[in-house]
Amino acid sequence: MAVDHGDQILKRRQELHTTVFESVFSPCGNFLAACNNFGQIALAPDATSHSKRPIVLFQGHSGPAYSLISTDKFLISGGSSEIHGWRWDEILDKTESPLPAWTLKPPTSSTLDVVESNALVFSSHEETLFSGCGDKNIYMWDLESGNCKGTLSGHTDYVQCLCLRPKQSQCVSGGEDGTVRLWGNHVTEY
């Protein structure tokens, strides 16, 4: 039997250099999902379980998976060039690797651009997914149609984090440019 040294090298590299970028709980709260720099998504029982090993591990992206959020129906992951929505019921089925239910591609100015989605947040009130990206923009997505319905521009470097202020209908972003911005009826920079 031939030994594939490439597989051994990859496995050793993953053991030594895996970075977990994000983790979230399933809607029921019984499972923890995490994504890593190898594009893998793992699902494990919560900390009260006796087993700490993943019960599901699948390749979510061909490059790193930078961001992860959970909605009632979907586990949403942001990678190097795409955002995927995975149905929770298919992930929890555990019989085979799940396929994305849908995929979004942030706009690019050329075929060489790679727009990684570093941060995701979902407004259930507005049915809008916000993706903070490495191209300095925040994209607003209508998940029902899959269309990008707007772009928030103003950061001068990568957008790294997002959160929502639902009562004020604001999205808050932080970037590598050292600014925090509030997006809504007006834009404020701190």
Side-chain angles (χ1 to χ4, degrees), residues 85-161:
W86 314 87
R87 291 187 55 86
W88 273 113
D89 56 354
E90 291 180 11
I91 295 171
L92 295 172
D93 183 23
K94 299 175 260 180
T95 56
E96 57 187 66
S97 289
L99 296 174
W102 48 263
T103 297
L104 304 172
K105 291 190 177 222
T108 58
S109 57
S110 77
T111 57
L112 300 175
D113 284 347
V114 175
V115 181
E116 66 272 6
S117 296
N118 300 316
L120 299 169
V121 68
F122 179 68
S123 169
S124 57
H125 174 69
E126 298 174 18
E127 292 292 319
T128 301
L129 176 70
F130 295 81
S131 60
C133 296
D135 67 350
K136 311 170 197 171
N137 293 315
I138 300 157
Y139 297 101
M140 300 178 298
W141 300 93
D142 178 338
L143 289 188
E144 189 163 321
S145 69
N147 293 327
C148 181
K149 61 184 192 177
T151 303
L152 304 173
S153 299
H155 280 284
T156 59
D157 210 338
Y158 283 44
V159 177
Q160 291 292 357
C161 59

